[in-house]
Structure formats: C-alpha cells, structure tokens
Coordinates of all heavy atoms in Angstrom, one line a residue:
M1 N 0.8 -1.1 0.0 CA 0.0 0.0 0.0 C 0.9 1.3 0.0 O 1.9 1.3 0.8 CB -0.9 -0.1 1.2 CG -1.8 1.2 1.3 SD -3.0 1.2 2.6 CE -2.6 0.1 3.8
V2 N 0.6 2.1 -0.8 CA 1.3 3.4 -1.0 C 0.4 4.6 -0.6 O -0.8 4.6 -1.0 CB 1.8 3.7 -2.4 CG1 2.5 4.9 -2.5 CG2 2.7 2.4 -2.8
K3 N 0.9 5.4 0.3 CA 0.1 6.5 0.7 C 0.7 7.9 0.1 O 1.9 8.1 0.1 CB 0.1 6.7 2.2 CG -0.7 5.7 2.9 CD -0.8 6.0 4.4 CE -1.7 4.9 5.0 NZ -1.8 5.2 6.5
Y4 N -0.2 8.6 -0.5 CA 0.2 9.9 -1.0 C -0.5 11.0 -0.3 O -1.7 10.9 -0.1 CB -0.1 10.0 -2.5 CG 0.6 9.1 -3.4 CD1 0.1 7.8 -3.8 CD2 1.8 9.3 -3.8 CE1 0.8 7.0 -4.6 CE2 2.6 8.5 -4.6 CZ 2.1 7.3 -5.0 OH 2.7 6.5 -5.7
S5 N 0.2 12.0 0.2 CA -0.4 13.1 0.9 C -0.2 14.4 0.1 O 1.0 14.6 -0.3 CB 0.0 13.2 2.3 OG 1.4 13.4 2.4
G6 N -1.1 15.2 0.1 CA -1.1 16.4 -0.7 C -1.4 17.5 0.3 O -1.1 17.5 1.5
F7 N -2.1 18.5 -0.2 CA -2.5 19.7 0.5 C -3.7 19.4 1.4 O -4.8 19.6 0.9 CB -2.7 20.9 -0.3 CG -1.5 21.3 -1.2 CD1 -1.4 20.9 -2.5 CD2 -0.5 22.0 -0.5 CE1 -0.2 21.3 -3.2 CE2 0.6 22.3 -1.2 CZ 0.7 22.0 -2.6
G8 N -3.6 18.7 2.5 CA -4.6 18.4 3.4 C -5.4 17.2 3.1 O -6.3 16.8 3.7
S9 N -5.0 16.5 2.0 CA -5.8 15.2 1.7 C -4.7 14.1 1.6 O -3.6 14.3 1.3 CB -6.5 15.4 0.4 OG -5.6 15.6 -0.7
E10 N -5.2 12.9 1.9 CA -4.4 11.8 1.8 C -5.0 10.7 0.9 O -6.2 10.4 1.1 CB -4.1 11.2 3.1 CG -3.0 10.1 3.2 CD -2.6 9.9 4.6 OE1 -2.0 10.7 5.3 OE2 -3.0 8.7 5.1
T11 N -4.3 10.1 0.0 CA -4.8 9.1 -0.9 C -4.1 7.8 -0.7 O -2.8 7.8 -0.6 CB -4.7 9.5 -2.4 OG1 -5.3 10.8 -2.5 CG2 -5.4 8.6 -3.3
T12 N -4.7 6.7 -0.7 CA -4.1 5.4 -0.6 C -4.3 4.6 -1.9 O -5.4 4.5 -2.5 CB -4.7 4.6 0.5 OG1 -4.5 5.4 1.7 CG2 -4.0 3.3 0.7
I13 N -3.1 4.0 -2.4 CA -3.2 3.3 -3.7 C -2.7 1.8 -3.4 O -1.6 1.7 -2.8 CB -2.3 3.9 -4.8 CG1 -2.8 5.3 -5.1 CG2 -2.3 3.1 -6.0 CD1 -2.0 6.1 -6.0
D14 N -3.5 0.9 -3.8 CA -3.1 -0.5 -3.6 C -2.6 -1.0 -4.9 O -3.4 -1.2 -5.9 CB -4.2 -1.4 -3.1 CG -4.6 -1.1 -1.6 OD1 -3.6 -0.7 -0.9 OD2 -5.8 -1.2 -1.3
P15 N -1.3 -1.3 -5.2 CA -0.8 -1.8 -6.4 C -1.3 -3.3 -6.6 O -1.6 -4.0 -5.7 CB 0.7 -1.7 -6.3 CG 1.0 -1.8 -4.9 CD -0.2 -1.1 -4.2
P16 N -1.5 -3.7 -7.9 CA -1.8 -5.1 -8.2 C -0.8 -6.0 -7.5 O 0.4 -5.8 -7.4 CB -1.7 -5.2 -9.7 CG -1.7 -3.8 -10.2 CD -1.1 -2.9 -9.1
S17 N -1.4 -7.2 -7.1 CA -0.6 -8.1 -6.4 C 0.5 -8.9 -7.3 O 1.5 -9.3 -6.9 CB -1.4 -9.3 -5.8 OG -2.1 -9.9 -6.8
D18 N 0.3 -8.8 -8.6 CA 1.2 -9.5 -9.6 C 2.3 -8.5 -10.1 O 3.2 -8.8 -11.0 CB 0.5 -10.1 -10.7 CG -0.3 -9.1 -11.5 OD1 -0.5 -8.0 -11.1 OD2 -0.7 -9.4 -12.7
L19 N 2.3 -7.3 -9.6 CA 3.2 -6.2 -10.1 C 4.6 -6.5 -9.4 O 4.7 -6.5 -8.1 CB 2.7 -4.9 -9.7 CG 3.6 -3.6 -10.0 CD1 3.7 -3.6 -11.6 CD2 3.2 -2.4 -9.4
K20 N 5.6 -6.7 -10.2 CA 6.9 -6.9 -9.8 C 7.9 -5.9 -10.5 O 7.9 -5.9 -11.7 CB 7.4 -8.3 -10.1 CG 6.6 -9.3 -9.3 CD 7.0 -10.7 -9.7 CE 6.1 -11.8 -9.0 NZ 6.3 -13.1 -9.5
P21 N 8.6 -5.1 -9.8 CA 9.5 -4.1 -10.4 C 10.6 -5.0 -11.2 O 11.1 -5.9 -10.6 CB 10.1 -3.3 -9.3 CG 9.5 -3.8 -8.0 CD 8.6 -5.0 -8.3
Q22 N 11.0 -4.5 -12.3 CA 12.0 -5.1 -13.2 C 12.9 -4.1 -13.8 O 12.4 -3.0 -14.1 CB 11.3 -6.0 -14.2 CG 10.6 -7.2 -13.7 CD 10.1 -8.0 -14.9 OE1 10.1 -7.7 -16.0 NE2 9.5 -9.3 -14.5
T23 N 14.0 -4.4 -14.0 CA 14.9 -3.6 -14.8 C 15.7 -4.5 -15.7 O 15.5 -5.7 -15.8 CB 15.9 -2.8 -13.9 OG1 16.6 -1.8 -14.7 CG2 16.9 -3.7 -13.2
A24 N 16.4 -3.9 -16.7 CA 17.2 -4.6 -17.6 C 18.3 -5.5 -17.0 O 18.9 -5.0 -16.0 CB 17.9 -3.7 -18.6
P25 N 18.5 -6.7 -17.5 CA 19.5 -7.6 -16.9 C 20.9 -7.1 -17.2 O 21.1 -6.3 -18.1 CB 19.3 -8.9 -17.5 CG 18.5 -8.6 -18.7 CD 17.7 -7.4 -18.4
Y26 N 21.9 -7.6 -16.5 CA 23.3 -7.2 -16.8 C 23.7 -7.7 -18.2 O 23.4 -8.9 -18.5 CB 24.2 -7.8 -15.7 CG 25.7 -7.6 -16.0 CD1 26.2 -6.3 -15.8 CD2 26.5 -8.6 -16.5 CE1 27.6 -6.1 -16.1 CE2 27.8 -8.3 -16.7 CZ 28.4 -7.0 -16.5 OH 29.7 -6.8 -16.8
D27 N 24.4 -6.9 -18.9 CA 24.9 -7.3 -20.3 C 26.4 -7.0 -20.2 O 26.8 -5.8 -20.1 CB 24.2 -6.5 -21.3 CG 24.6 -7.0 -22.7 OD1 25.6 -7.6 -22.9 OD2 23.7 -6.8 -23.7
P28 N 27.3 -7.9 -20.4 CA 28.7 -7.7 -20.3 C 29.3 -6.8 -21.3 O 30.4 -6.3 -21.2 CB 29.3 -9.2 -20.4 CG 28.3 -10.0 -20.9 CD 26.9 -9.4 -20.6
R29 N 28.5 -6.6 -22.5 CA 29.0 -5.6 -23.4 C 29.0 -4.2 -22.9 O 29.6 -3.3 -23.5 CB 28.1 -5.8 -24.7 CG 28.2 -7.2 -25.3 CD 27.3 -7.2 -26.5 NE 25.8 -7.0 -26.0 CZ 24.8 -6.8 -26.9 NH1 25.0 -6.6 -28.2 NH2 23.6 -6.6 -26.3
F30 N 28.2 -4.0 -21.9 CA 28.0 -2.6 -21.4 C 28.3 -2.6 -19.8 O 27.4 -2.5 -19.0 CB 26.6 -2.1 -21.6 CG 26.2 -2.3 -23.1 CD1 25.3 -3.4 -23.4 CD2 26.7 -1.5 -24.1 CE1 24.9 -3.6 -24.8 CE2 26.3 -1.6 -25.4 CZ 25.4 -2.7 -25.7
P31 N 29.6 -2.7 -19.5 CA 29.9 -2.8 -18.1 C 29.9 -1.5 -17.2 O 30.0 -1.6 -16.0 CB 31.4 -3.4 -18.1 CG 31.9 -2.8 -19.3 CD 30.8 -2.8 -20.3
N32 N 29.8 -0.4 -17.9 CA 30.0 0.9 -17.2 C 28.6 1.3 -16.7 O 27.6 0.9 -17.1 CB 30.5 1.9 -18.2 CG 31.9 1.5 -18.7 OD1 32.7 1.0 -18.0 ND2 32.2 1.8 -20.0
Q33 N 28.7 2.4 -15.9 CA 27.4 3.0 -15.3 C 26.6 3.7 -16.4 O 25.4 3.7 -16.3 CB 27.8 3.9 -14.2 CG 28.3 3.3 -12.9 CD 28.5 4.3 -11.8 OE1 28.8 5.4 -12.0 NE2 28.4 3.8 -10.6
N34 N 27.4 4.3 -17.3 CA 26.6 5.0 -18.4 C 25.9 4.0 -19.3 O 26.6 3.2 -20.0 CB 27.6 5.8 -19.2 CG 26.9 6.7 -20.2 OD1 25.7 6.5 -20.5 ND2 27.7 7.6 -20.8
Q35 N 24.6 3.9 -19.3 CA 23.8 2.9 -20.0 C 23.3 3.5 -21.4 O 22.4 2.8 -21.9 CB 22.7 2.3 -19.1 CG 23.3 1.6 -18.0 CD 24.0 0.3 -18.3 OE1 23.3 -0.5 -18.8 NE2 25.3 0.3 -18.0
T36 N 23.7 4.6 -21.8 CA 23.2 5.2 -23.0 C 23.3 4.2 -24.2 O 22.4 4.1 -25.0 CB 24.0 6.5 -23.2 OG1 23.8 7.4 -22.1 CG2 23.4 7.2 -24.5
R37 N 24.5 3.7 -24.4 CA 24.7 2.8 -25.5 C 23.8 1.5 -25.4 O 23.3 1.1 -26.4 CB 26.2 2.4 -25.5 CG 26.6 1.7 -26.8 CD 28.0 1.5 -26.8 NE 28.5 1.2 -28.1 CZ 29.7 0.7 -28.4 NH1 30.5 0.4 -27.4 NH2 30.0 0.4 -29.7
Y38 N 23.7 1.0 -24.2 CA 22.8 -0.2 -24.0 C 21.4 0.1 -24.4 O 20.7 -0.7 -25.1 CB 23.0 -0.6 -22.5 CG 22.3 -1.9 -22.2 CD1 21.9 -2.9 -23.1 CD2 22.1 -2.3 -20.8 CE1 21.4 -4.1 -22.7 CE2 21.6 -3.4 -20.3 CZ 21.1 -4.3 -21.4 OH 20.7 -5.5 -20.9
C39 N 21.0 1.4 -24.1 CA 19.6 1.8 -24.4 C 19.4 1.8 -25.9 O 18.5 1.3 -26.5 CB 19.5 3.2 -23.8 SG 18.1 4.2 -24.5
Y40 N 20.4 2.5 -26.6 CA 20.3 2.7 -28.0 C 20.4 1.4 -28.7 O 19.6 1.1 -29.7 CB 21.5 3.6 -28.5 CG 21.5 3.9 -30.0 CD1 20.5 4.7 -30.6 CD2 22.5 3.2 -30.8 CE1 20.5 5.0 -31.9 CE2 22.4 3.5 -32.1 CZ 21.5 4.4 -32.7 OH 21.5 4.6 -34.1
V41 N 21.3 0.6 -28.3 CA 21.5 -0.8 -29.1 C 20.2 -1.7 -28.9 O 19.8 -2.3 -29.8 CB 22.7 -1.5 -28.5 CG1 22.8 -3.0 -28.9 CG2 24.0 -0.8 -29.0
S42 N 19.7 -1.6 -27.6 CA 18.4 -2.4 -27.4 C 17.3 -1.9 -28.2 O 16.5 -2.7 -28.8 CB 18.1 -2.4 -25.9 OG 19.1 -3.0 -25.1
F43 N 17.2 -0.6 -28.4 CA 16.1 0.0 -29.2 C 16.3 -0.4 -30.7 O 15.3 -0.9 -31.3 CB 16.1 1.5 -29.1 CG 15.0 2.2 -30.0 CD1 13.7 2.2 -29.5 CD2 15.3 2.7 -31.2 CE1 12.8 2.8 -30.3 CE2 14.4 3.3 -32.0 CZ 13.1 3.4 -31.6
V44 N 17.5 -0.3 -31.2 CA 17.8 -0.8 -32.6 C 17.6 -2.3 -32.7 O 17.0 -2.7 -33.8 CB 19.2 -0.3 -33.0 CG1 19.5 -1.0 -34.3 CG2 19.4 1.2 -33.1
D45 N 18.0 -3.1 -31.8 CA 17.8 -4.5 -31.9 C 16.2 -4.8 -31.9 O 15.9 -5.8 -32.6 CB 18.5 -5.3 -30.7 CG 19.9 -5.3 -30.9 OD1 20.5 -5.1 -31.9 OD2 20.6 -5.6 -29.8
F46 N 15.5 -4.1 -31.1 CA 14.0 -4.3 -31.1 C 13.4 -4.0 -32.5 O 12.6 -4.8 -33.0 CB 13.3 -3.5 -30.0 CG 11.9 -3.5 -30.2 CD1 11.1 -4.6 -29.8 CD2 11.2 -2.4 -30.7 CE1 9.7 -4.6 -29.9 CE2 9.8 -2.4 -30.8 CZ 9.1 -3.5 -30.5
Q47 N 13.8 -3.0 -33.1 CA 13.3 -2.5 -34.4 C 13.7 -3.5 -35.4 O 12.8 -3.9 -36.3 CB 13.8 -1.1 -34.8 CG 13.4 0.0 -33.8 CD 11.9 0.1 -33.8 OE1 11.2 -0.1 -34.7 NE2 11.4 0.5 -32.6
R48 N 14.9 -4.0 -35.4 CA 15.3 -5.1 -36.3 C 14.5 -6.4 -36.2 O 14.1 -7.0 -37.1 CB 16.8 -5.2 -36.3 CG 17.6 -4.2 -36.8 CD 19.1 -4.4 -36.7 NE 19.8 -3.3 -37.3 CZ 21.2 -3.1 -37.1 NH1 21.8 -3.9 -36.3 NH2 21.8 -2.1 -37.6
C49 N 14.4 -6.8 -34.9 CA 13.7 -7.9 -34.6 C 12.2 -7.8 -35.0 O 11.7 -8.8 -35.6 CB 13.8 -8.2 -33.1 SG 13.0 -9.8 -32.6
K50 N 11.7 -6.7 -34.7 CA 10.3 -6.4 -35.1 C 10.1 -6.5 -36.6 O 9.1 -7.1 -37.1 CB 9.8 -5.0 -34.6 CG 8.3 -4.8 -34.9 CD 8.0 -3.5 -34.2 CE 8.3 -2.3 -35.0 NZ 7.8 -1.0 -34.6
K51 N 11.0 -6.0 -37.4 CA 11.0 -6.0 -38.8 C 11.1 -7.5 -39.3 O 10.4 -7.9 -40.3 CB 12.1 -5.2 -39.4 CG 12.0 -5.1 -40.9 CD 13.2 -4.1 -41.3 CE 13.1 -3.9 -42.8 NZ 14.2 -3.0 -43.3
Q52 N 11.8 -8.3 -38.7 CA 12.0 -9.7 -39.2 C 11.0 -10.7 -38.7 O 10.6 -11.6 -39.5 CB 13.4 -10.2 -38.8 CG 14.6 -9.5 -39.6 CD 15.9 -10.1 -39.2 OE1 16.0 -10.9 -38.3 NE2 16.9 -9.7 -40.0
H53 N 10.6 -10.6 -37.4 CA 9.8 -11.6 -36.7 C 8.4 -11.1 -36.3 O 7.6 -12.0 -35.9 CB 10.6 -12.1 -35.6 CG 11.9 -12.7 -35.8 ND1 12.1 -13.9 -36.6 CD2 13.1 -12.2 -35.6 CE1 13.4 -14.1 -36.6 NE2 14.0 -13.1 -36.0
G54 N 8.2 -9.8 -36.2 CA 7.0 -9.3 -35.7 C 7.1 -8.9 -34.3 O 8.0 -9.5 -33.5
E55 N 6.4 -8.0 -33.8 CA 6.5 -7.4 -32.5 C 6.3 -8.4 -31.4 O 6.7 -8.3 -30.2 CB 5.6 -6.2 -32.3 CG 5.9 -5.4 -31.1 CD 5.2 -4.1 -31.2 OE1 4.7 -3.5 -32.1 OE2 5.0 -3.5 -30.0
E56 N 5.5 -9.4 -31.5 CA 5.0 -10.3 -30.6 C 6.1 -11.5 -30.3 O 5.8 -12.3 -29.4 CB 3.7 -11.0 -30.9 CG 2.5 -9.9 -31.0 CD 2.4 -9.1 -29.7 OE1 2.5 -9.6 -28.5 OE2 2.3 -7.8 -29.8
H57 N 7.1 -11.6 -31.1 CA 8.1 -12.6 -30.9 C 8.8 -12.5 -29.5 O 9.0 -11.3 -29.1 CB 9.1 -12.5 -32.0 CG 10.0 -13.6 -32.1 ND1 11.2 -13.7 -31.5 CD2 9.9 -14.9 -32.8 CE1 11.8 -14.9 -31.8 NE2 11.0 -15.6 -32.6
D58 N 9.2 -13.6 -28.9 CA 9.7 -13.5 -27.5 C 11.0 -12.7 -27.5 O 11.2 -11.9 -26.5 CB 10.0 -14.9 -27.1 CG 8.7 -15.7 -26.7 OD1 7.7 -15.0 -26.5 OD2 8.7 -16.9 -26.7
A59 N 11.9 -12.9 -28.5 CA 13.1 -12.1 -28.5 C 12.8 -10.6 -28.6 O 13.5 -9.8 -27.9 CB 14.0 -12.6 -29.6
C60 N 11.9 -10.2 -29.4 CA 11.6 -8.8 -29.6 C 11.0 -8.3 -28.3 O 11.3 -7.1 -28.0 CB 10.6 -8.7 -30.7 SG 11.1 -9.3 -32.3
Q61 N 10.2 -9.0 -27.6 CA 9.7 -8.5 -26.3 C 10.8 -8.3 -25.4 O 10.7 -7.4 -24.5 CB 8.6 -9.5 -25.8 CG 7.3 -9.5 -26.6 CD 6.6 -8.2 -26.6 OE1 6.5 -7.6 -25.5 NE2 6.4 -7.7 -27.8
Y62 N 11.8 -9.1 -25.4 CA 13.0 -9.0 -24.5 C 13.6 -7.7 -24.7 O 13.8 -6.9 -23.8 CB 13.9 -10.2 -24.6 CG 15.3 -9.8 -24.0 CD1 15.4 -10.0 -22.6 CD2 16.4 -9.4 -24.7 CE1 16.6 -9.7 -21.9 CE2 17.6 -9.1 -24.0 CZ 17.7 -9.2 -22.7 OH 18.8 -9.0 -22.0
F63 N 13.9 -7.3 -26.0 CA 14.6 -6.1 -26.4 C 13.7 -4.9 -26.0 O 14.2 -3.9 -25.5 CB 14.9 -6.0 -27.9 CG 15.9 -7.0 -28.2 CD1 15.8 -7.9 -29.3 CD2 17.2 -6.9 -27.6 CE1 16.8 -8.7 -29.7 CE2 18.2 -7.8 -28.0 CZ 17.9 -8.7 -29.1
K64 N 12.4 -5.0 -26.2 CA 11.5 -4.0 -25.8 C 11.4 -3.7 -24.3 O 11.5 -2.5 -23.8 CB 10.0 -4.3 -26.3 CG 9.1 -3.1 -26.1 CD 7.7 -3.5 -26.7 CE 6.8 -2.3 -26.5 NZ 5.5 -2.5 -27.2
K65 N 11.5 -4.8 -23.5 CA 11.5 -4.6 -22.1 C 12.8 -4.0 -21.6 O 12.7 -3.1 -20.8 CB 11.4 -6.0 -21.4 CG 11.2 -6.0 -19.9 CD 11.1 -7.4 -19.3 CE 10.0 -8.2 -19.9 NZ 9.8 -9.5 -19.3
V66 N 13.9 -4.2 -22.2 CA 15.2 -3.7 -21.9 C 15.1 -2.2 -22.2 O 15.5 -1.4 -21.4 CB 16.4 -4.3 -22.6 CG1 17.6 -3.6 -22.4 CG2 16.5 -5.8 -22.1
Y67 N 14.8 -1.8 -23.4 CA 14.8 -0.4 -23.8 C 13.8 0.4 -23.1 O 14.1 1.7 -22.7 CB 14.9 -0.1 -25.3 CG 13.5 0.0 -26.0 CD1 12.7 1.1 -25.8 CD2 13.1 -1.0 -26.8 CE1 11.6 1.3 -26.6 CE2 11.9 -1.0 -27.5 CZ 11.2 0.2 -27.4 OH 10.0 0.3 -28.1
T68 N 12.6 -0.1 -22.7 CA 11.7 0.7 -21.9 C 12.0 0.8 -20.5 O 11.7 1.8 -19.9 CB 10.3 0.0 -22.0 OG1 10.4 -1.3 -21.6 CG2 9.7 0.1 -23.4
A69 N 12.9 0.0 -20.0 CA 13.4 0.1 -18.6 C 14.6 1.1 -18.6 O 14.7 1.7 -17.5 CB 13.9 -1.3 -18.1
I70 N 15.4 1.2 -19.6 CA 16.6 2.0 -19.5 C 16.4 3.3 -20.1 O 16.9 4.3 -19.6 CB 17.8 1.2 -20.2 CG1 18.1 0.0 -19.3 CG2 18.9 2.1 -20.2 CD1 19.2 -0.8 -19.9
C71 N 15.8 3.4 -21.3 CA 15.8 4.6 -22.1 C 14.8 5.7 -21.6 O 13.7 5.3 -21.2 CB 15.4 4.3 -23.6 SG 16.5 3.2 -24.4
P72 N 15.2 6.9 -21.6 CA 14.2 8.0 -21.4 C 13.1 8.0 -22.4 O 13.3 7.8 -23.6 CB 15.0 9.3 -21.5 CG 16.5 8.9 -21.2 CD 16.5 7.5 -21.8
I73 N 11.9 8.3 -22.0 CA 10.8 8.2 -22.9 C 10.9 9.2 -24.1 O 10.5 8.9 -25.2 CB 9.5 8.5 -22.1 CG1 9.2 7.4 -21.1 CG2 8.2 8.7 -23.0 CD1 8.1 7.6 -20.2
V74 N 11.5 10.4 -23.8 CA 11.7 11.4 -24.8 C 12.6 10.8 -25.9 O 12.3 11.1 -27.1 CB 12.3 12.6 -24.2 CG1 12.6 13.7 -25.2 CG2 11.4 13.2 -23.1
W75 N 13.6 10.1 -25.6 CA 14.5 9.5 -26.6 C 13.7 8.6 -27.5 O 13.8 8.6 -28.7 CB 15.7 8.9 -26.0 CG 16.7 9.7 -25.3 CD1 16.6 11.1 -25.1 CD2 17.9 9.3 -24.7 NE1 17.7 11.4 -24.4 CE2 18.5 10.4 -24.1 CE3 18.5 8.0 -24.5 CZ2 19.7 10.2 -23.5 CZ3 19.7 7.9 -23.9 CH2 20.3 9.1 -23.4
V76 N 12.9 7.7 -26.9 CA 12.2 6.7 -27.6 C 11.2 7.3 -28.5 O 11.0 7.0 -29.7 CB 11.5 5.7 -26.7 CG1 10.6 4.8 -27.4 CG2 12.5 5.0 -25.8
E77 N 10.5 8.4 -28.1 CA 9.5 9.1 -28.9 C 10.3 9.8 -30.1 O 9.8 9.7 -31.3 CB 8.8 10.1 -28.0 CG 7.8 9.5 -27.1 CD 7.3 10.6 -26.1 OE1 7.7 11.7 -26.1 OE2 6.3 10.3 -25.4
R78 N 11.4 10.4 -29.8 CA 12.1 11.0 -31.0 C 12.6 10.0 -31.9 O 12.5 10.2 -33.2 CB 13.3 11.8 -30.3 CG 14.1 12.6 -31.5 CD 15.2 13.4 -31.0 NE 14.9 14.1 -29.7 CZ 15.8 14.1 -28.7 NH1 16.9 13.5 -28.7 NH2 15.4 14.8 -27.6
W79 N 13.1 8.9 -31.5 CA 13.6 7.8 -32.4 C 12.5 7.2 -33.2 O 12.6 7.0 -34.4 CB 14.4 6.8 -31.6 CG 15.7 7.2 -31.0 CD1 16.4 8.2 -31.4 CD2 16.3 6.6 -29.9 NE1 17.6 8.4 -30.6 CE2 17.5 7.3 -29.6 CE3 16.0 5.5 -29.1 CZ2 18.3 7.0 -28.6 CZ3 16.9 5.2 -28.1 CH2 18.1 5.9 -27.8
T80 N 11.4 7.0 -32.6 CA 10.2 6.5 -33.3 C 9.8 7.5 -34.4 O 9.4 7.0 -35.5 CB 9.1 6.2 -32.3 OG1 9.5 5.3 -31.3 CG2 7.9 5.6 -32.9
E81 N 9.7 8.8 -34.1 CA 9.4 9.8 -35.1 C 10.4 9.8 -36.2 O 10.0 9.9 -37.4 CB 9.3 11.2 -34.4 CG 8.2 11.4 -33.6 CD 8.3 12.8 -32.8 OE1 9.2 13.5 -33.1 OE2 7.5 12.9 -31.9
Q82 N 11.7 9.6 -35.9 CA 12.7 9.6 -36.9 C 12.5 8.4 -37.8 O 12.7 8.5 -39.0 CB 14.1 9.6 -36.3 CG 14.4 11.0 -35.7 CD 15.8 11.0 -34.9 OE1 16.3 9.9 -34.7 NE2 16.3 12.1 -34.6
I83 N 12.2 7.3 -37.3 CA 12.0 6.1 -38.1 C 10.8 6.3 -39.0 O 10.9 5.9 -40.2 CB 11.8 4.8 -37.2 CG1 13.2 4.5 -36.5 CG2 11.2 3.6 -38.0 CD1 12.9 3.4 -35.5
A84 N 9.7 6.9 -38.5 CA 8.5 7.1 -39.4 C 8.9 8.1 -40.5 O 8.4 8.0 -41.6 CB 7.4 7.7 -38.5
E85 N 9.8 9.1 -40.2 CA 10.1 10.1 -41.2 C 11.2 9.6 -42.1 O 11.5 10.3 -43.1 CB 10.6 11.4 -40.5 CG 9.5 12.1 -39.7 CD 9.9 13.2 -38.8 OE1 11.3 13.4 -38.7 OE2 9.2 13.9 -38.2
G86 N 11.9 8.6 -41.7 CA 13.0 8.0 -42.6 C 14.4 8.8 -42.2 O 15.2 8.7 -43.1
T87 N 14.4 9.4 -41.2 CA 15.7 10.2 -40.8 C 16.4 9.5 -39.7 O 17.4 10.2 -39.2 CB 15.3 11.6 -40.5 OG1 14.4 11.6 -39.3 CG2 14.7 12.4 -41.6
F88 N 16.1 8.3 -39.2 CA 16.8 7.7 -38.2 C 18.2 7.4 -38.7 O 18.4 6.9 -39.8 CB 16.1 6.4 -37.8 CG 16.6 5.8 -36.5 CD1 16.4 6.4 -35.3 CD2 17.3 4.6 -36.5 CE1 16.9 5.8 -34.1 CE2 17.8 3.9 -35.4 CZ 17.6 4.6 -34.2
P89 N 19.3 7.8 -37.9 CA 20.7 7.6 -38.3 C 21.2 6.1 -38.4 O 22.3 6.0 -39.0 CB 21.5 8.3 -37.2 CG 20.6 8.2 -36.0 CD 19.2 8.2 -36.5
K90 N 20.5 5.1 -38.1 CA 20.9 3.8 -38.2 C 20.1 3.0 -39.2 O 18.9 3.2 -39.2 CB 20.9 3.1 -36.8 CG 21.4 1.8 -36.7 CD 22.9 1.9 -36.3 CE 23.4 0.5 -36.0 NZ 24.9 0.5 -35.9
T91 N 20.6 2.1 -39.9 CA 19.9 1.3 -40.9 C 19.2 0.2 -40.1 O 19.9 -0.6 -39.4 CB 20.8 0.7 -42.0 OG1 21.5 1.8 -42.6 CG2 20.0 -0.1 -43.0
I92 N 17.9 0.0 -40.2 CA 17.2 -1.1 -39.6 C 16.8 -2.0 -40.6 O 16.3 -1.9 -41.6 CB 16.0 -0.4 -38.8 CG1 16.5 0.5 -37.8 CG2 15.1 -1.5 -38.3 CD1 15.4 1.2 -37.0

C-alpha cells in the first residue's frame, strides 16, 4: 500500500498483487554505469527484430522490455518519429 499526501488530503493506492519491479539484466557488453549505449542498441535490436519476426516474438519482447526500462521516454519518442520520417541515423 502506498500513501500519497497532498495539501490536506491523503490518498491510498493498492498496487496489483502481480506487479513486480523489473529492470534490464546485466549485459557484459556494457559494463559501465553509463547505459546510453545499452539503451540505443536495445532499441535498434528491437526495431530489427520487429521487422524480421513481428513485435510479438519473444526475443523482440525482451529487447522492448530492456529499452523501456533503460531509455528515457523522450528519446524513444524522438527515435520513433525519426523512423517514421526516414531520418533515423541507423539502418534497420
């Protein structure tokens, strides 16, 4: 149970029982604290996997889970727009 208090009011939120916090697993290719490259590579890998196998493929879902856990939402939105416009800097 999480309690939020505001200006004179208090709200209680019960999260779903099956909710488990997750983050991206360790990848030895990216041993440093700066995870920018891991984010970018996971996003590109997801796009390539989606193009070859479809978005519902298990491997594609893994890459999607990784980049959604690591990447800032603004980056993902910008990259998605660039892919739609054909200006994304990487070949997918």
Side-chain angles (χ1 to χ4, degrees):
M1 177 174 17
V2 179
K3 289 187 177 182
Y4 294 96
S5 59
F7 299 101
S9 65
E10 192 171 286
T11 306
T12 303
I13 299 174
D14 291 325
S17 61
D18 62 342
L19 179 67
K20 295 178 184 171
Q22 294 182 352
T23 188
Y26 176 74
D27 190 334
R29 297 176 297 167
F30 310 103
N32 302 321
Q33 287 182 335
N34 186 348
Q35 296 292 297
T36 304
R37 192 172 195 199
Y38 191 15
C39 161
Y40 181 75
V41 169
S42 297
F43 180 80
V44 171
D45 286 345
F46 169 73
Q47 296 300 326
R48 288 179 177 165
C49 183
K50 182 172 82 170
K51 186 176 181 180
Q52 289 182 353
H53 304 289
E55 191 169 343
E56 299 304 318
H57 194 267
D58 289 339
C60 300
Q61 287 301 309
Y62 168 79
F63 292 127
K64 185 174 184 177
K65 190 181 298 185
V66 170
Y67 86 76
T68 55
I70 293 179
C71 300
I73 296 170
V74 176
W75 292 4
V76 173
E77 290 172 351
R78 185 179 316 133
W79 292 337
T80 305
E81 289 173 8
Q82 289 175 347
I83 288 172
E85 295 169 355
T87 59
F88 190 68
K90 188 87 171 172
T91 302
I92 295 177

